[in-house]
Amino acid sequence: MSRSAAATGDGCPCGSGRDYAQCCGPLHAGVPAASAEALMRSRYSAYALRLLPYLRESWDPSTRPALSEADLDPATRWLGLRIVAHEVDPADPDTAFVEFIARWRVAGGRAQRLHERSRFRRTGDHWRYVDGRIRASKP
Ligand SMILES: [Zn+2]
């Protein structure tokens, strides 16, 4: 890992305020996420760092798309992540929902944002992204 936060000593790309090595770094190295929220953060960081294998691995096999390098445009700059809500399904502790707003900009373009409520499922020790619903939100 030589890119971005890991190399510069800046905070973690997910915006937690912690160092990458104390935040999403261990998850990218294979440590199970303690919660769906932590997994969500690590997936945002993985987009920012363009960690294709991690994005695949953290996606539930039932919904995982055929991700390729082409899905990770190097011209994309990730601007920030805000976690709006995190809830574990009261009827099923292996299902959780994370609502978030992610912002990014493709070089030369306008800033874009995604407001989504994502569903996560835990299998064994590992939380994985299943799917999400786009939420309408003000620009
Ligand atoms: Zn992080």
Side-chain angles (χ1 to χ4, degrees), residues 73-104:
D73 185 347
T76 301
R77 230 185 106 220
W78 292 85
L79 302 173
L81 172 70
R82 186 157 72 83
I83 303 289
V84 178
H86 169 225
E87 48 183 307
V88 176
D89 187 339
D92 175 8
D94 290 327
T95 297
F97 299 89
V98 178
E99 182 179 345
F100 67 92
I101 298 171
R103 296 184 305 116
W104 70 93

Side-chain angles (χ1 to χ4, degrees), residues 12-16 23-25 41-42 45:
C12 190
C14 78
S16 64
C23 187
C24 296
R41 287 185 168 283
S42 74
S45 292

